[in-house]
Amino acid sequence: MLRIFITCVSLLLSFSAWAQNAYININILNGSVPNYRYYEQNSPLKIEMINGVFKFDEPTQSYTTTLAFNLASPRTINLTYVGVKSLKGNSRRHRFFLSPGDSISLKVDMKKAETDIEINGKGAANNYSLDFKNIETQKNYGDSLPDKVIAIFNKMYRDNKRILADYIKTHEPDNQFIQAHNLDLQYSTVLNFYYFKENNKYRLGDKYERFQPAWERAQDSLFKTVSYRLIDPEKTGGKLNALKQPLSTISNDEALISDNYQELIKHFMRREIESLANEAQTNPEQFFRQWYNADINTGREAYSNGGTNLLKEKIVNTYFTGKTADFMYACLITDALYEIDPKSIVSIFDRYKKLFPKSNYANSFQTQVDEIANREAKKLNEKMIFAFANGTTMKTLDEVLWLTKGKTILVYMWGTWNAPSRSELEKHSAAIRAHFKDKDLTYLYIANYDLKNEAGWKKQIAYFQLEGLHILADDDLNKDIMTKVKGKEYPTYFIIKKDGSYELAKAGYPMKREVLIEQLETAMAN
């Protein structure tokens, strides 16, 4: 699933007593039924990109709108206005650096050049066009050593430093703007290198291990140019980095105003989870000893029960402190909510609130976490039916067809471990059931790669209230079904008809619910 890492502070939240409103007033001349969308560059709280339609102002023959934000600190807002006839296509973009109390007016004439815009109002000095250079490094993937790509990123940093200096001299922005953009430039080199290094190691494949020390040394050197310190080994229980060296941290509260710093530490979390998941497989004794203070069997059980969320919390508490740790806790919970992954979230949230009772973020999660707690308390009921031995003895699709003979069945191939599977259940399960209420449709849920997770599997069945027939598939059954129905990924839907024939759902992924409903109705009618 294409994950859109678009983040925005909710307009309905007030982070603290000192948060203020800020406004962007937009006026589009010579457009053609334009609409707009915007998102906030970086913050822990994640929502989809916000779309809207401009109002047509008859006296001025222009399109207008006002965007309102409740802010406790400066934020970067990316605005795209689309559906307009411009000189260079049908969309334009503008990046705002918005502070509490700002009231900025943006006026654009679509018949004029893209750079010919008017910015006025409080905060205008921070919001003229500032176009930093971005250098393409695609051709450098496969480089064995980091020297060339570091030189590229360093040149980009110097060029952008001059662009920022010219902007400051011309427009005299405020100190917060200057601080944020200087930090952005400092962290851009580190972030770009980190992105490149982590992607390049997959291009190098088996060769990477030989050259890894050079890449790690280069990364450490870049980190030292911003914020970097070794972590006391006693605090980490002897944990080591990829080169078996003491851990270091890039925790920097002052840099949270920087978009690039926020993205760097979030990307660090993603890569650390990948690295530790690999270590749990390749070196389980060390992994479970260092991260769970346990032997392999005890640690594996704790790892399974706590899930990725608990491991993320351990990473936060190991690498980050102060406001940065607060931010990373909020990112952890945001991602768990986004991926519909409730495992350990209630207990993690309780610890989060105790650690950061004055957090600007924590209170915004309370309602959602309370809902998770209520859903986790739900139990299996008599309408949740399990095949004999949970279906673990079944090997072929023919056995499933025999079990469901004479019924119209919606089959859902899923896994508790699979975020898209959970997301589809959350979005569509209740709606499909409501549409087919009191109709002759049966539901079959076949979980895959969950044989060692029976307790967690049943817990999710209760959590999502999946009433119907359930099978815990082994590898043979999973392979036979996916081959015969031509399923390629999880989740996969297919329909079994009363005559025993079957067909893959046409709804695709993400599911087009109306397409699946129409296909089911046709199957039931026939």
Side-chain angles (χ1 to χ4, degrees), residues 118-339:
E118 294 181 28
I119 296 281
N120 295 291
K122 184 180 179 182
N126 296 340
N127 287 286
Y128 297 103
S129 294
L130 176 59
D131 295 320
F132 287 132
K133 292 184 178 180
N134 193 17
I135 300 176
E136 178 58 56
T137 57
Q138 191 74 23
K139 64 182 180 181
N140 294 95
Y141 279 122
D143 284 1
S144 300
L145 294 172
D147 302 26
K148 289 183 181 178
V149 75
I150 286 179
I152 290 172
F153 291 137
N154 282 338
K155 182 181 185 304
M156 184 177 69
Y157 170 80
R158 292 190 297 269
D159 291 344
N160 287 336
K161 190 75 173 174
R162 286 191 289 270
I163 292 171
L164 178 60
D166 290 343
Y167 183 99
I168 293 171
K169 183 177 179 180
T170 302
H171 299 295
E172 299 182 347
D174 65 26
N175 288 333
Q176 285 186 311
F177 175 97
I178 295 171
Q179 178 191 8
H181 285 76
N182 273 317
L183 285 165
D184 261 349
L185 290 185
Q186 291 173 31
Y187 278 100
S188 67
T189 304
V190 183
L191 175 61
N192 285 325
F193 179 80
Y194 191 41
Y195 269 134
F196 183 91
K197 184 201 91 170
E198 292 299 311
N199 289 323
N200 192 48
K201 70 182 182 184
Y202 297 110
R203 304 294 182 94
L204 290 174
D206 294 339
K207 293 192 299 181
Y208 179 73
E209 187 173 353
R210 185 163 57 130
F211 298 106
Q212 183 179 5
W215 289 92
E216 295 291 341
R217 284 194 298 270
Q219 179 176 293
D220 286 348
S221 178
L222 287 172
F223 281 167
K224 287 175 183 177
T225 66
V226 282
S227 62
Y228 173 98
R229 62 180 173 82
L230 291 175
I231 303 174
D232 184 352
E234 290 187 4
K235 178 189 173 186
T236 64
K239 297 184 182 76
L240 303 174
N241 66 16
L243 295 180
K244 313 307 179 187
Q245 299 168 339
L247 299 178
S248 58
T249 180
I250 50 173
S251 190
N252 183 357
D253 291 356
E254 292 182 357
L256 283 170
I257 195 174
S258 161
D259 297 335
N260 285 336
Y261 175 68
Q262 289 188 16
E263 184 55 36
L264 174 65
I265 56 180
K266 290 194 288 187
H267 191 64
F268 170 84
M269 172 66 82
R270 294 192 288 271
R271 292 305 192 180
E272 189 68 6
I273 284 291
E274 288 178 9
S275 175
L276 291 178
N278 180 63
E279 187 175 346
Q281 297 296 321
T282 59
N283 193 356
E285 184 177 356
Q286 177 175 299
F287 171 77
F288 290 117
R289 183 179 68 251
Q290 289 189 344
W291 289 94
Y292 292 85
N293 192 28
D295 59 40
I296 292 178
N297 291 332
T298 306
R300 202 182 299 280
E301 183 178 1
Y303 185 28
S304 176
N305 292 338
T308 300
N309 293 331
L310 186 59
L311 183 55
K312 283 184 177 181
E313 183 186 26
K314 291 176 182 291
I315 293 171
V316 171
N317 289 329
T318 297
Y319 286 99
F320 300 103
T321 59
K323 293 180 181 178
T324 310
D326 178 9
F327 176 88
M328 293 303 289
Y329 257 107
C331 290
L332 185 169
I333 295 174
T334 296
D335 286 343
L337 295 173
Y338 183 79
E339 295 177 353

Side-chain angles (χ1 to χ4, degrees), residues 106-119:
L106 169 69
K107 187 175 182 180
V108 180
D109 189 335
M110 301 307 296
K111 288 186 176 180
K112 295 184 178 179
E114 195 162 348
T115 55
D116 190 3
I117 61 175
E118 294 181 28
I119 296 281

Side-chain angles (χ1 to χ4, degrees), residues 52-63:
V53 179
F54 286 99
K55 297 177 181 178
F56 184 68
D57 184 64
E58 188 72 35
T60 61
Q61 293 290 295
S62 64
Y63 294 91

Side-chain angles (χ1 to χ4, degrees), residues 389-454:
N390 291 332
T392 56
T393 62
M394 302 175 75
K395 301 296 181 183
T396 67
L397 175 56
D398 288 341
E399 294 174 79
V400 175
L401 297 177
W402 181 87
L403 185 67
T404 59
K405 191 174 181 180
K407 300 176 182 177
T408 303
I409 313 286
L410 173 60
V411 185
Y412 187 64
M413 300 288 288
W414 71 300
T416 65
W417 47 272
N418 182 252
S421 291
R422 299 191 302 267
S423 178
E424 292 282 278
L425 288 172
E426 188 78 359
K427 292 177 181 177
H428 302 297
S429 181
I432 290 173
R433 286 177 177 278
H435 182 88
F436 289 101
K437 184 179 180 181
D438 300 326
K439 295 182 181 180
D440 190 19
L441 178 64
T442 301
Y443 302 88
L444 170 59
Y445 302 89
I446 302 179
N448 304 279
Y449 303 110
D450 266 320
L451 282 176
K452 296 181 180 180
N453 185 36
E454 180 180 347

